[in-house]
Amino acid sequence: MRLSVTTGVVATALSLMIVALIMAAWSGTRAFRFLERLLSPLLSVPHAAAAFGLAFLIAPSGWVARLLSPAITGWDRPPDVLIVQDPLGLAMIAGLVVKEVPFLLLMAIAAMGQAQPRRSILVAQALGYGRITGWLKTVFPRVYAQIRLPIYVVIAYSMSVVDVAVILGPSTPPTLSVQIVKWMSDPDLTMRLTGAAAALVQFALVLGVLAFWFLGERVVAHVGRMWIASGHRGRFGGVGRSFALGLGVCAALPVLLGLASLAVWSVAGFWSFPDVLPDSFSMRTWGRHWGDAFATMGETFLVAGIAVLLALALVLGCLEAEHRSGRQLGQTGVWLLYLPLLVPQTAFLPGLQTLLLSVGADVGVLPVIFAHLVFVLPYVFLSLGDPWRTWDSRTATVAQALGASPNRVFWVVRVPMLIRPILTAMAVGVAVSVGQYLATLLIGGGRVSTLTTEAVALASGGDRRAIGVYALLQTLAALVPFTVALIVPTVLWRNRRGLHE
Amino acid sequence: MNKGLTLQSVCIMRDGAPLIEVDQHIAPGDVLTVMGPSGVGKSTLLAFITGTLPPVFRGMGGIALDGVDITKSPPHKRQVGILFQDDLLFPHMSVGANLAFGMPPGGSKVQRRAAVDAALVDVDLAGYANRDPATLSGGQKARVALVRMLLSDPRALLLDEPFSRLDAELRAQVRALVFRVARERALPVLMVTHDLEDATAADGTVIELESLSRT
């Protein structure tokens, strides 16, 4: 229980600090635009794959130890220390941070658009403030107000995540959510009651932490106002900027190196300890797992595809209704949309599972698709909402004045013009669905397996080559749709310059 | 039958307070110019006539086109053409497809294509049918937007500051073209602008809107 709280809060606070520093030091620069381009792929890497990659890097026999051995450490065999799955959950926090930083960064960038940061920074700099201090004092409060909901999502997620906890978190005792899943899938049915009670505790815990965070916001806001009023110009100019860049690299590099490590393991032959690379490479592991993995990939895409299409239909319907009626989704609607992301998965999925069992609808892929839809829908909506709404509605007026019915305007004008954001939203949806662990595991009742459930199931076995294959495939399954979303509009509209600005 | 565009005691309200009031008849071929400071609700008046008034506003009174009341018709059945200050050509369609989009359905592929080509010749853009609209100059885009609107067979023409994005020389040219075509086709024209030159060139009735609500 204590673990759930510490990992959740520390991971969120760290991620937020890193994001704020990076934004403060680098937003609007060329380095930042480069970072921005890295975001989508980083974001689409499933949590489980990123966690495996990190584990392969920092484990006693991982790449980091290999690089330093034996020259610096003197080790000629993997040291017997618990780095991954350490009792404090440090590895787990690291795993969460590398995944949440890109998410929060993306949300913050979206929020920046409305905050008009350039002018504020200019004014602050003219008043003698350094870049970082100026940004923190003038822009950050506005950005924070905008990304508050995503931050709550990150807290709830970090506190109740299961797959990352299984891979990187401590095992004796495990985090509360992992324990809940164990109880819920125990052959002894009375354990389910314990599990149900624990799920409620987990829910209360998240609510408590959110309330605590809310209070923390007040305190920080108060201290921040005093800091702003104090007029201190701040001293950490250049050093702060390098530090922020270092942090950004530290957040992005483990994921990329981790993926590389997964790739190397999946083709490794014999690989003795302090060697940086294996003695030989072979496709044996791929050959052995290819058949099963291919079938699993098919099922993964089936679930993701249907869930995303359903979500897209609902989102487009909602947005188009918004446009035609001229009424926007209210504040309540936005909260409702975020609800499935705010309530810890471990708190409501077991209940959903029990409900489906009791009505006898627990068989097959269909319930899993609907469970995925619950999580895919908000992300598709968040991703598509802004581009859809900022579309110039005079275009619709002109089209209608030319005699086009609302449906024709929708299909012939609006959808083709917005094909890029639509495909991106679909890619986001696929990535979310591919990454779902708990929803697949619990609702599928073990009969539906996706690349994620297979990969996490391999975690305890310790067959690194097999893990490499599955985690890589999982990453690919999430990345390929993004690539498609990038290429298709470019090819489709190659002769239409107006759509590429 | 009363030819032309009639705005009968049109009043647009916002939050229960009247914003603008207009009561005018525009005969075929005539231009009514509506002037006034920005924010007075000139564009809102046009939105009421095209049937795309945002729900925060409420329009009262009647709009009749050639004697037929269109106040309650859906926007795409009104046959009221509109030009904005931006050309708003559909960026994903070729110039020809933009024109064909607005043409009433009917006719063979060859006939439609011929109509598009002929319309382009009329505005000195012969052979531009397959071009990407983004590659045209500002004046060319404005002319394409004009023929696109004309091909849809409108029975009235609304202009929302249509020339303000063009530079001075082009502006006079395009303006002359628009007014000439409207006169040739006997279209009633309602133009909103804040440019006195536009109003002079229109050579018709000019009304000044003033803010009713915030005095």
Side-chain angles (χ1 to χ4, degrees):
Chain A
M1 226 169 104
R2 192 184 48 79
L3 263 173
S4 303
V5 176
T6 49
T7 50
V9 172
V10 174
T12 311
L14 264 180
S15 309
L16 181 63
M17 265 168 50
I18 294 176
V19 166
L21 264 182
I22 295 177
M23 298 282 284
W26 293 95
S27 65
T29 64
R30 191 140 21 110
F32 192 73
R33 268 197 295 281
F34 175 73
L35 204 68
E36 233 179 302
R37 241 172 274 144
L38 261 179
L39 273 185
S40 291
L42 276 183
L43 204 58
S44 66
V45 175
H47 276 88
F52 274 127
L54 189 68
F56 281 17
L57 274 188
I58 61 173
S61 59
W63 251 0
V64 174
R66 282 168 191 271
L67 276 173
L68 302 178
S69 300
I72 298 173
T73 56
W75 296 331
D76 51 7
R77 53 175 59 223
D80 190 18
V81 287
L82 207 56
I83 299 180
V84 173
Q85 304 190 328
D86 61 295
L88 283 176
L90 295 180
M92 184 179 163
I93 291 174
L96 287 169
V97 167
V98 296
K99 273 301 291 172
E100 300 311 346
V101 164
F103 174 70
L104 285 181
L105 202 52
L106 195 75
M107 290 293 156
I109 289 172
M112 286 273 276
Q114 297 164 17
Q116 301 201 324
R118 282 182 59 91
R119 285 195 253 164
S120 303
I121 289 290
L122 278 177
V123 171
Q125 282 181 333
L127 292 173
Y129 281 93
R131 205 193 144 81
I132 295 182
T133 316
W135 193 89
L136 285 177
K137 285 189 175 184
T138 60
V139 184
F140 183 67
R142 275 176 287 166
V143 170
Y144 186 84
Q146 296 263 343
I147 61 169
R148 179 190 233 163
L149 218 43
I151 287 175
Y152 288 2
V153 169
V154 170
I155 295 176
Y157 181 86
S158 308
M159 285 184 65
S160 59
V161 65
V162 174
D163 47 359
V164 177
V166 168
I167 298 163
L168 290 173
S171 49
T172 44
T175 62
L176 183 58
S177 46
V178 174
Q179 188 59 51
I180 292 173
V181 175
K182 274 194 186 145
W183 279 327
M184 292 313 279
S185 45
D186 200 288
D188 178 3
L189 287 181
T190 53
M191 291 313 277
R192 299 224 165 162
L193 299 178
T194 321
L200 280 181
V201 171
Q202 166 97 69
F203 185 47
L205 212 56
V206 170
L207 282 185
V209 168
L210 285 181
F212 171 76
W213 188 276
F214 186 79
L215 286 178
E217 281 175 3
R218 305 293 107 138
V219 174
V220 171
H222 184 73
V223 174
R225 269 194 292 272
M226 292 201 307
W227 183 51
I228 291 172
S230 73
H232 285 301
R233 279 353 189 213
R235 271 156 299 172
F236 29 76
V239 189
R241 289 192 78 183
S242 330
F243 181 63
L245 189 68
L247 278 179
V249 171
C250 280
L253 217 53
V255 179
L256 300 177
L257 282 181
L259 288 178
S261 165
L262 288 172
V264 172
W265 267 109
S266 75
V267 292
F270 183 72
W271 194 357
S272 61
F273 173 64
D275 299 345
V276 173
L277 286 174
D279 294 345
S280 62
F281 295 97
S282 86
M283 294 303 286
R284 260 213 3 253
T285 322
W286 282 91
R288 199 167 60 228
H289 290 284
W290 181 241
D292 288 343
F294 195 69
T296 316
M297 188 140 86
E299 193 146 30
T300 308
F301 274 127
L302 179 75
V303 171
I306 298 180
V308 167
L309 285 180
L310 285 174
L312 188 68
L314 288 172
V315 168
L316 284 180
C318 177
L319 287 171
E320 181 66 6
E322 232 179 38
H323 167 68
R324 290 189 194 177
S325 70
R327 275 189 296 265
Q328 278 233 350
L329 192 67
Q331 202 62 33
T332 344
V334 175
W335 275 92
L336 204 64
L337 206 61
Y338 266 105
L339 200 61
L341 308 181
L342 279 175
V343 177
Q345 300 194 8
T346 30
F348 83 93
L349 279 174
L352 195 59
Q353 178 198 20
T354 317
L355 182 74
L356 286 171
L357 269 175
S358 59
V359 298
D362 61 319
V363 215
V365 191
L366 223 55
V368 176
I369 291 175
F370 279 106
H372 278 209
L373 181 61
V374 170
F375 299 102
V376 169
L377 187 66
Y379 283 106
V380 173
F381 195 99
L382 291 175
S383 164
L384 193 51
D386 272 345
W388 191 269
R389 287 178 184 141
T390 47
W391 184 73
D392 191 343
S393 67
R394 290 179 310 167
T395 315
T397 306
V398 166
Q400 284 186 300
L402 291 171
S405 67
N407 287 333
R408 186 151 176 252
V409 175
F410 178 79
W411 289 111
V412 184
V413 181
R414 197 163 196 175
V415 167
M417 278 178 77
L418 293 172
I419 197 74
R420 192 186 291 272
I422 289 174
L423 287 176
T424 307
M426 287 178 77
V428 170
V430 170
V432 169
S433 169
V434 167
Q436 285 302 317
Y437 172 68
L438 202 57
T440 322
L441 186 75
L442 287 181
I443 309 296
R447 268 163 296 185
V448 179
S449 57
T450 62
L451 292 170
T452 303
T453 56
E454 290 295 299
V456 178
L458 287 170
S460 52
D463 179 352
R464 296 197 165 180
R465 292 173 181 82
I467 291 176
V469 168
Y470 273 93
L472 262 192
L473 281 177
Q474 197 201 4
T475 309
L476 277 183
L479 263 180
V480 166
F482 274 101
T483 321
V484 172
L486 212 62
I487 293 173
V488 166
T490 312
V491 174
L492 201 59
W493 304 132
R494 63 188 175 285
N495 292 327
R496 298 285 173 261
R497 233 176 45 194
L499 288 163
H500 300 301
E501 277 144 16
Chain B
M1 188 153 117
N2 200 358
K3 280 285 199 183
L5 179 66
T6 314
L7 305 177
Q8 199 176 4
S9 345
V10 166
C11 173
I12 294 174
M13 320 266 287
R14 174 170 196 156
D15 303 328
L19 194 65
I20 38 177
E21 283 173 346
V22 177
D23 188 36
Q24 290 279 339
H25 174 76
I26 311 165
D30 277 2
V31 182
L32 172 69
T33 306
V34 176
M35 297 197 64
S38 58
V40 77
K42 301 186 300 264
S43 297
T44 317
L45 175 65
L46 298 189
F48 182 51
I49 301 173
T50 53
T52 51
L53 199 63
V56 289
F57 299 103
R58 212 159 68 83
M60 299 193 306
I63 311 158
L65 190 50
D66 294 342
V68 183
D69 182 31
I70 58 164
T71 321
K72 299 257 183 291
S73 312
H76 62 285
K77 294 265 161 81
R78 296 192 176 200
Q79 289 189 282
V80 174
I82 185 164
L83 290 180
F84 290 99
Q85 56 178 304
D86 300 293
D87 54 83
L88 295 174
L89 296 175
F90 306 129
H92 59 297
M93 298 181 188
S94 67
V95 168
N98 261 287
L99 300 192
F101 178 89
M103 274 166 64
S108 71
K109 220 173 164 179
V110 181
Q111 283 170 336
R112 289 176 74 83
R113 178 70 201 227
V116 166
D117 288 339
L120 283 173
V121 172
D122 282 346
V123 288
D124 290 333
L125 289 172
Y128 274 67
N130 287 326
R131 287 281 290 269
D132 173 4
T135 61
L136 304 188
S137 71
Q140 290 171 330
K141 284 183 197 166
R143 280 179 281 161
V144 173
L146 174 66
V147 277
R148 177 177 69 173
M149 198 258 312
L150 292 175
L151 276 179
S152 73
D153 249 348
R155 291 193 293 166
L157 177 47
L158 307 180
L159 305 174
D160 191 349
E161 314 231 2
F163 316 117
S164 55
R165 284 283 170 95
L166 302 170
D167 57 49
E169 195 185 337
L170 262 177
R171 192 172 187 152
Q173 270 178 32
V174 175
R175 189 164 50 203
L177 177 68
V178 171
F179 289 144
R180 197 192 74 218
V181 177
R183 225 159 270 146
E184 278 169 13
R185 300 208 174 197
L187 291 173
V189 178
L190 174 57
M191 172 170 71
V192 304
T193 182
H194 60 254
D195 185 355
L196 203 61
E197 230 179 278
D198 285 349
T200 322
D203 191 25
T205 320
V206 177
I207 54 173
E208 285 274 349
L209 280 187
E210 51 208 88
S211 188
L212 293 176
S213 51
R214 63 198 96 152
T215 33

